[in-house]
Amino acid sequence: MYLNYPNNPTAAVVGGEFFAKVVAFARRHGIIVCHDAMYSELRFDGYTPPSFLETPGATEVGVEFHSLSKTYSMTGWRIGFCVGNARYLGGLGKIKTNVDSGVFQAVQEAGIAALTGPQDIPEQYRRIYQERRDVVVGGLRALGWEVDVPKAAFFVWAPVPKGLDSRAFASRLLEEVGCVVTPGVGFGPSGEGFYRVALTIDAKRLAEAMQRLKGLKL
Ligand SMILES: *Cc1c(COP(=O)(O)O)cnc(C)c1O
């Protein structure tokens, strides 16, 4: 079973008690749990996402994946790591050595520098993303649109105003005010009725987008 918290696209987070249920479920059904913990370091307001591996019994049933893509803004550099159950990691290693030939050494060196260097860098990123988040949440609320404040990850996930279809809403934003959002249905049928804003551009440009949204006549 693959899980991903904090989640992309919804920015949903879970508490340790959820992972305790996951461990019990995995034991009962004899399955392996793979937790994709990509956004564990992009957290706000003093919230700390739990690691699946801190759950009692987790290393018996699963592994956790991390990537340097988001924590260190190394997206596309293709470097990450997996920790957890030794037997499952052995299996993953066997597959990996047969499908690729390892990470380019310069990227490995950069990864070492990121992980062993000053950790005020992820802290700076957290501040930057939090500022962007506040611009978007504030802007949407000023329009009277409903939106939850994400505790982690760099997405704002919100219900499409006035119950519009997510694809139609995204097209209208693009054509009428020149803003791009991702229609929720692109992530599967359960995403219908929602849209996602990625906080991957600077706060000034996000503020400009919030201004433009005022021009949309729904
Ligand atoms: C960005 C992201 C990853 C990271 O993928 P890389 O291949 O390491 O860049 C993994 N899972 C989710 C949910 C993501 O959003």
Side-chain angles (χ1 to χ4, degrees):
M1 178 163 66
Y2 279 85
L3 295 173
N4 163 227
Y5 295 103
N7 184 263
N8 175 12
T10 64
V13 295
V14 292
E17 67 293 344
F18 173 81
F19 284 143
K21 283 191 203 156
V22 170
V23 169
F25 183 89
R27 279 183 177 147
R28 197 156 63 242
H29 296 280
I31 58 166
I32 299 175
V33 177
C34 299
H35 183 233
D36 177 359
M38 213 52 41
Y39 294 95
S40 63
E41 309 312 307
L42 285 181
R43 48 195 162 73
F44 312 122
D45 307 326
Y47 167 74
T48 303
S51 163
F52 173 63
L53 295 180
E54 73 193 55
T55 317
T59 52
E60 284 163 42
V61 297
V63 296
E64 190 159 73
F65 288 92
H66 289 266
S67 164
L68 276 64
S69 290
K70 314 291 159 58
T71 308
Y72 297 102
S73 277
M74 290 168 68
T75 302
W77 295 40
R78 314 251 57 84
I79 187 160
F81 55 95
C82 185
V83 279
N85 182 283
R87 201 162 67 85
Y88 304 158
L89 292 178
L92 179 64
K94 207 176 283 178
I95 291 169
K96 279 288 284 172
T97 44
N98 282 285
V99 297
D100 63 32
S101 332
V103 177
F104 172 45
Q105 192 169 342
V107 170
Q108 293 192 42
E109 304 275 352
I112 292 168
L115 289 168
T116 60
Q119 295 304 307
D120 57 329
I121 290 174
E123 180 56 30
Q124 282 170 35
Y125 291 155
R126 284 193 277 276
R127 276 200 295 272
I128 291 169
Y129 286 119
Q130 186 166 333
E131 184 196 353
R132 295 175 183 177
R133 175 199 73 169
D134 293 342
V135 166
V136 170
V137 168
L140 298 177
R141 285 188 173 167
L143 294 167
W145 296 3
E146 189 189 330
V147 57
D148 285 339
V149 183
K151 284 203 184 75
F154 52 43
F155 305 106
V156 171
W157 175 261
V160 177
K162 310 223 154 118
L164 288 176
D165 155 79
S166 66
R167 222 183 311 230
F169 175 69
S171 300
R172 286 197 51 194
L173 285 194
L174 181 60
E175 282 158 21
E176 295 173 30
V177 292
C179 293
V180 175
V181 297
T182 310
V185 72
F187 299 103
S190 311
E192 185 50 281
F194 293 85
Y195 64 101
R196 191 191 73 176
V197 177
L199 304 173
T200 47
I201 53 170
D202 66 45
K204 213 169 136 223
R205 211 152 156 72
L206 287 168
E208 152 94 27
M210 294 301 114
Q211 280 303 320
R212 289 194 199 176
L213 289 184
K214 291 182 184 162
L216 192 72
K217 300 279 172 280
L218 287 181

